[in-house]
C-alpha cells in the first residue's frame, strides 16, 4: 500500500533529482511519456523503485573518482498513471 506521505516524499524527490519527459518512440510515430529518477544514493532510488515496481540500474560515474549513478525509470501507461497520482502535489513549474 502506498501512503500519502510516500507520494509527497516521491514528488519532492522527483522535483529535485528526477525529470518528466516525452520521447519519440522507436517508430517515430508517437511520443512515450516517462519519469526518470537518477542519483548517487542507491537506498533512495531503491525505495522509489519499490513504489514504481521497477528495477534499479547502476551506471558508472563520469570519471573514476565520481560515484556511480543509480537510476529508475517508468514509461508509457505506467508513467501516465503515476503522473496522475503525483499531479496535485507538483510545483507550478512541473504542472
Amino acid at each position: 500500500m502506498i501512503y500519502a506521505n510516500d507520494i509527497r516524499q516521491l514528488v519532492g524527490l522527483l522535483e529535485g533529482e528526477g525529470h518528466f519527459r516525452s520521447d519519440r518512440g522507436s517508430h517515430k510515430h508517437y511520443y512515450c511519456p516517462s519519469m526518470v529518477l537518477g542519483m548517487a544514493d542507491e537506498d533512495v532510488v531503491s525505495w522509489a523503485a519499490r513504489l514504481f515496481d521497477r528495477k534499479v540500474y547502476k551506471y558508472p560515474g563520469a570519471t573514476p573518482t565520481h560515484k556511480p549513478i543509480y537510476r529508475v525509470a517508468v514509461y508509457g501507461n505506467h508513467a501516465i498513471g503515476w503522473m496522475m497520482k503525483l499531479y496535485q502535489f507538483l510545483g507550478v513549474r512541473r504542472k
Side-chain angles (χ1 to χ4, degrees):
M1 176 168 216
I2 299 172
Y3 297 99
N5 285 339
D6 291 333
I7 297 293
R8 288 186 201 100
Q9 185 176 354
L10 183 60
V11 166
L13 190 57
L14 289 168
E15 290 256 17
E17 300 290 337
H19 61 268
F20 302 81
R21 66 183 190 198
S22 184
D23 296 324
R24 282 204 185 261
S26 58
H27 298 289
K28 309 289 188 214
H29 298 289
Y30 61 89
Y31 286 90
C32 180
S34 64
M35 294 186 336
V36 180
L37 172 65
M39 59 190 305
D41 297 321
E42 182 180 13
D43 60 330
V44 177
V45 177
S46 294
W47 171 81
R50 281 192 301 276
L51 290 179
F52 292 145
D53 194 27
R54 292 293 185 259
K55 183 178 175 182
V56 175
Y57 292 90
K58 180 181 178 181
Y59 297 92
T63 69
T65 59
H66 286 132
K67 294 179 183 178
I69 299 298
Y70 299 92
R71 184 175 177 264
V72 62
V74 183
Y75 299 98
N77 290 336
H78 199 71
I80 292 169
W82 272 102
M83 288 176 191
M84 297 301 289
K85 287 177 193 171
L86 303 176
Y87 184 80
Q88 66 179 328
F89 300 104
L90 291 171
V92 174
R93 191 171 145 219
R94 300 277 186 229
K95 289 183 177 181

